[in-house]
Amino acid sequence: MELKGKEIVLTGGTSGVGLALVEALQADNTLLVIARQSERLEALKTRKENVDTLACDLGDADQLRRLEQSSWIFEGVDLLINNAAIQVSDGFLSQRYDFESMERELRLNLLAPACLTKLAACEMSRRDKGGAILNVGSALAIAPKASSPMYCSTKAGLRSLSRSIGYQLWDRGVRVLHAMLPLVDTAMTAGRGKGKITAEQAAKELIEVVEEERVDAAIGKACLLAAIDRVSPRMAQRLMRAV
């Protein structure tokens, strides 16, 4: 897929990797950015050409249901990028890490991409030209770390979901792509780890995944973790246990 003249729906496009994707794509394409913070969305719409916005908290059950009823959003869409996600790093036994927190992480990171993928795929499969869906994942889908069990679980689930849905949609001309990012320098990862890639580099790599239609892509250091896991899953587990 050549990303020029395309209709693109992007979630979580007001900061980090999502904002970098908007910056990289908006000149040659038309974007609808879905995010939670209406003020940031308004600022984005004012500053950028070819960008429309929709305020929706994908981690809220009622708002997600209302979005599900708005299938018109995906009329004519060529590419859906499921980018929005949250990561909670409180200890699993912490009182702050309660059922509501777990449910929100699950809904935003896994259920929302599943719902939006279905809406987009139904529209794309009706057309001769098909389309593509990119689910932005994490290297933690390969080997989970100790500090964010729900986040790791949702990213592993997103990888499996992408592959399974991709099997179903292949003959309909809809490509379901999944990309595992390494640690990216964003507000989410502030104070964590070293050797991060920039949001701009992550966006560049993700665009290449779409253009090359790579079904399950590991980016940067995610490639190294995948290689270690293939050779010695125990070694990968030991590495991630301390993270």
Side-chain angles (χ1 to χ4, degrees):
M1 176 182 282
E2 183 181 10
L3 290 178
K4 289 186 178 179
K6 297 295 191 276
E7 298 279 343
I8 301 172
V9 176
L10 166 68
T11 68
T14 58
S15 64
V17 176
L19 182 57
L21 283 166
V22 174
E23 298 278 0
L25 293 169
Q26 59 91 26
D28 297 320
N29 304 278
T30 301
L31 277 75
L32 173 63
V33 178
I34 302 174
R36 178 172 57 90
Q37 296 179 313
S38 55
E39 299 86 358
R40 289 187 180 183
L41 286 171
E42 283 300 318
L44 188 65
K45 187 176 179 179
T46 302
R47 289 188 294 108
K48 301 296 180 185
E49 296 181 357
N50 304 326
V51 175
D52 203 354
T53 61
L54 177 67
C56 179
D57 183 354
L58 297 173
D60 180 87
D62 292 334
Q63 291 189 47
L64 183 58
R65 289 192 189 98
R66 285 197 294 271
L67 183 62
E68 189 180 9
Q69 295 166 2
S70 304
S71 57
W72 57 267
I73 291 170
F74 296 97
E75 291 179 2
V77 67
D78 299 296
L79 171 65
L80 165 65
I81 304 177
N82 285 311
N83 168 72
I86 55 171
Q87 182 175 166
V88 179
S89 296
D90 286 329
F92 192 72
L93 300 183
S94 166
Q95 290 184 341
R96 291 175 298 184
Y97 202 30
D98 56 11
F99 178 77
E100 184 177 349
S101 175
M102 295 181 195
E103 186 179 37
R104 180 173 178 78
E105 225 171 341
L106 178 62
R107 184 177 293 112
L108 181 58
N109 296 0
L110 185 57
L111 184 58
C115 290
L116 298 187
T117 293
K118 180 171 183 178
L119 293 173
C122 285
E123 183 63 31
M124 292 173 180
S125 64
R126 296 189 184 104
R127 309 188 314 246
D128 292 337
K129 63 177 182 177
I133 295 156
L134 172 63
N135 291 322
V136 179
S138 166
L140 298 173
I142 301 168
K145 65 178 183 176
S147 58
S148 301
M150 281 299 295
Y151 179 82
C152 297
S153 298
T154 59
K155 289 304 183 181
L158 185 64
R159 186 185 189 191
S160 179
L161 180 80
S162 301
R163 188 171 297 179
S164 182
I165 295 175
Y167 294 154
Q168 293 189 29
L169 297 179
W170 186 268
D171 290 338
R172 294 175 176 265
V174 180
R175 300 293 176 256
V176 181
L177 316 173
H178 174 259
M180 294 175 286
L181 289 174
L183 201 59
V184 183
D185 190 9
T186 66
M188 180 190 286
T189 65
R192 296 187 214 157
K194 298 178 181 178
K196 303 174 185 177
I197 66 171
T198 65
E200 291 73 21
Q201 180 63 28
K204 178 178 179 293
E205 298 276 4
L206 290 172
I207 289 169
E208 289 179 1
V209 169
V210 175
E211 291 177 334
E212 297 168 6
E213 293 190 350
R214 292 158 61 192
V215 173
D216 191 34
I219 293 171
K221 289 184 178 179
C223 295
L224 177 59
L225 182 59
I228 293 171
D229 187 65
R230 283 195 298 271
V231 174
S232 175
R234 288 187 178 182
M235 183 182 294
Q237 291 166 17
R238 284 199 301 271
L239 287 171
M240 302 307 294
R241 190 177 299 158
V243 178

